[in-house]
Amino acid sequence: VSLAAPGLRALLVQRAVSTQASALADALRLTRAEAVKRHQRVTICNTPNADDPTPVCASASTNWSTGWLIFADANGNKVREAHEALLHLQQALTPTVDLNLPHSKPAITFGGQGLAVANNASFVVQTAWPGATTPGPATTPSPQRCVRLAVSGRVRVLHGAC
């Protein structure tokens, strides 16, 4: 029984990382689809207060583990205002997973044609303990996923580091 516990823990950690990477990829695809459907800019941004009745975008954070919101960005300023429709709100991720977007991009906007406005992005999804190892037969490195967004709007989930 004690031999199975490390293997089960490793499986659960891998599953959590994979699930969160897929959730972010789906949110990016939803943002793009809404922009095309509405023929206007739609923004996804990380939020430090997903539990707040009126969540706002973080101003300069790379940590997307705290949650994100998707909104119709009528004026294209990457700030949700009262008149702009909130399309989706993601609560904070499980505390065992970190989701970061290096280079301090707190928001990504898609234009009405489905193109990411002026930026590529590579999100790093990993266990919340950087440098940690997953217990197993030979203590393997913690699982990572890279959620990569191209300017064209294409989203891919890759195994390993970005």
Side-chain angles (χ1 to χ4, degrees), residues 17-126:
V17 169
S18 179
T19 299
Q20 298 302 339
S22 293
L24 176 63
D26 290 345
L28 290 166
R29 290 180 188 114
L30 173 64
T31 306
R32 180 177 188 240
E34 286 290 337
V36 170
K37 179 177 90 176
R38 295 167 180 269
H39 302 289
Q40 75 173 78
R41 290 183 179 210
V42 175
T43 296
I44 180 171
C45 66
N46 67 336
T47 180
N49 58 348
D51 294 330
D52 194 280
T54 55
V56 296
C57 295
S59 59
S61 173
T62 61
N63 179 13
W64 286 60
S65 302
T66 56
W68 56 80
L69 55 102
I70 299 171
F71 61 97
D73 196 359
N75 58 11
N77 67 353
K78 298 184 180 184
V79 175
R80 181 171 178 257
E81 297 169 1
H83 66 279
E84 295 174 324
L86 178 62
L87 306 174
H88 177 77
L89 176 63
Q90 172 66 45
Q91 298 298 316
L93 304 181
T94 63
T96 58
V97 176
D98 273 343
L99 197 161
N100 288 292
L101 177 59
H103 312 299
S104 190
K105 291 181 185 175
I108 295 172
T109 300
F110 289 88
Q113 288 78 31
L115 302 177
V117 177
N119 54 15
N120 297 353
S122 292
F123 293 84
V124 178
V125 186
Q126 62 188 7

Side-chain angles (χ1 to χ4, degrees), residues 6-19:
L8 179 60
R9 182 174 180 269
L11 179 66
L12 292 174
V13 168
Q14 289 174 351
R15 185 72 176 157
V17 169
S18 179
T19 299

Side-chain angles (χ1 to χ4, degrees), residues 132-146:
T133 56
T134 302
T139 309
T140 57
S142 292
Q144 284 188 332
R145 297 289 184 275
C146 177

